[in-house]
């Protein structure tokens, strides 16, 4: 589907990857609804690109409906959804140390928000025999994120949901993609917008946005802004025991570098 003239929703679009996607889409002629939890961030990016702002917590199904209604009021219909909103807090002491509420919020935002939006958008897309659903997940959904089991588990589920949507709706003209970057210089990892210096392997949000749009334009399902993620994915699949052993050694190394005091700091070392 051409991006020029497309009617698009981008969630989590007030900063990071979402803002980069909104800017890149607008630069290619798309009409963009900018949705974010924080009203000021949504407004800022929308003003910058001539888009439509929306704010709210996408863990709430009613907010998702309001977002889609807002887009339809502004554009008439929605051609593309880039479901990008997400969060990561890490764990104080291993996978069982976060309470149920944290796991539920991770599930609602990383999985159910995409499902609920797709549930509302699919009937129209199927009727038009045209539509694009993009879930910005994470390489944690193919591999694992040390120090954040809720993030890893729900990103795995996000990848699986995208696969099911792709399998079941391709014949109806709906294209589905899932984006799985490794480390990106976003506020999620403690990076300020346009921060210059970053470790090797940590790429800019703009790089993810361009890789995502390239993949969508070429009909790719699995979009990997970090090419090395493919190698890691294959290593995990071909010898899972060896891969787990390697991840255990990696965890020991990075926790030693972080003095074992701040599991969230692990993002800065990988």
């Amino acid at each position: 589907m051409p991006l020029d003239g497309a009617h698009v929703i981008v969630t989590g679009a007030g900063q990071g990857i979402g803002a980069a996607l909104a800017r890149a889409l607008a630069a290619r002629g798309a009409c963009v609804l900018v949705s974010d939890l924080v009203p000021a961030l949504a407004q800022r990016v929308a003003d910058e690109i001539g888009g439509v702002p929306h704010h709210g917590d996408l863990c709430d199904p009613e907010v998702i409906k309001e977002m889609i209604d807002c887009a339809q009021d502004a554009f008439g219909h929605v051609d593309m959804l880039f479901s990008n909103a997400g969060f990561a807090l890490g764990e104080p002491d291993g996978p069982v140390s976060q309470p149920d509420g944290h796991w539920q919020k991770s599930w609602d935002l990383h999985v159910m928000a995409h499902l609920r939006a797709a549930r509302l958008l699919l009937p129209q897309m199927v009727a038009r025999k045209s539509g694009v659903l993009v879930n910005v997940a994470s390489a944690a959904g193919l591999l694992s994120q040390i120090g954040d089991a809720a993030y890893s588990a729900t990103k795995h589920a996000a990848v699986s949901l995208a696969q099911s949507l792709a399998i079941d709706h391709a014949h109806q003209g709906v294209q589905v993609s899932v984006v799985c970057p490794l480390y990106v210089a976003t506020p999620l990892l403690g990076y300020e917008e346009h921060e210059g210096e970053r470790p090797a392997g940590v790429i800019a949000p703009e790089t993810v946005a361009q890789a995502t749009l390239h993949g969508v334009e070429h009909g790719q399902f699995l979009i990997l802004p970090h090419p090395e993620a493919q190698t890691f994915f294959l290593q995990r699949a071909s010898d899972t025991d060896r891969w787990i052993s390697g991840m255990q050694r990696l965890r020991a190394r990075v926790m030693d570098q972080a003095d074992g005091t701040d599991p969230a700091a692990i993002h800065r070392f990988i």
Side-chain angles (χ1 to χ4, degrees), residues 97-218:
S97 59
Q98 281 285 17
D100 286 0
H102 170 76
W103 280 82
Q104 188 62 55
K105 182 177 178 180
S106 297
W107 178 256
D108 282 338
L109 189 57
H110 298 153
V111 184
M112 295 306 295
H114 186 68
L115 174 65
R116 289 164 176 157
R119 184 181 285 142
L120 294 172
L121 291 171
L122 271 170
Q124 302 164 43
M125 291 180 171
V126 170
R128 294 194 308 272
K129 296 183 171 57
S130 177
V132 175
L133 299 172
V134 180
N135 195 332
V136 181
S138 168
L142 303 174
L143 306 167
S144 188
Q145 173 59 54
I146 298 171
D148 203 332
Y151 186 82
S152 291
T154 53
K155 290 298 185 177
H156 271 75
V159 172
S160 181
L161 171 60
Q163 288 176 167
S164 294
L165 290 167
I167 291 166
D168 285 338
H169 295 291
H171 72 287
Q172 296 170 316
V174 179
Q175 175 184 324
V176 180
S177 297
V178 65
V179 187
C180 293
L182 283 162
Y183 293 98
V184 185
T186 70
L188 191 72
L189 296 190
Y191 291 89
E192 299 297 327
E193 189 170 21
H194 308 306
E195 184 174 335
E197 188 174 349
R198 53 184 182 265
V202 179
I203 63 176
E206 292 74 19
T207 302
V208 179
Q210 293 302 326
T212 299
L213 297 191
H214 176 83
V216 168
E217 287 176 315
H218 288 79

Side-chain angles (χ1 to χ4, degrees), residues 30-56:
C31 304
V32 184
L33 181 137
V34 178
S35 180
D36 198 87
L37 177 64
V38 181
L41 294 179
Q43 188 70 57
R44 177 178 65 91
V45 175
D47 288 347
E48 178 186 335
I49 66 173
V52 176
H54 172 270
H55 70 272

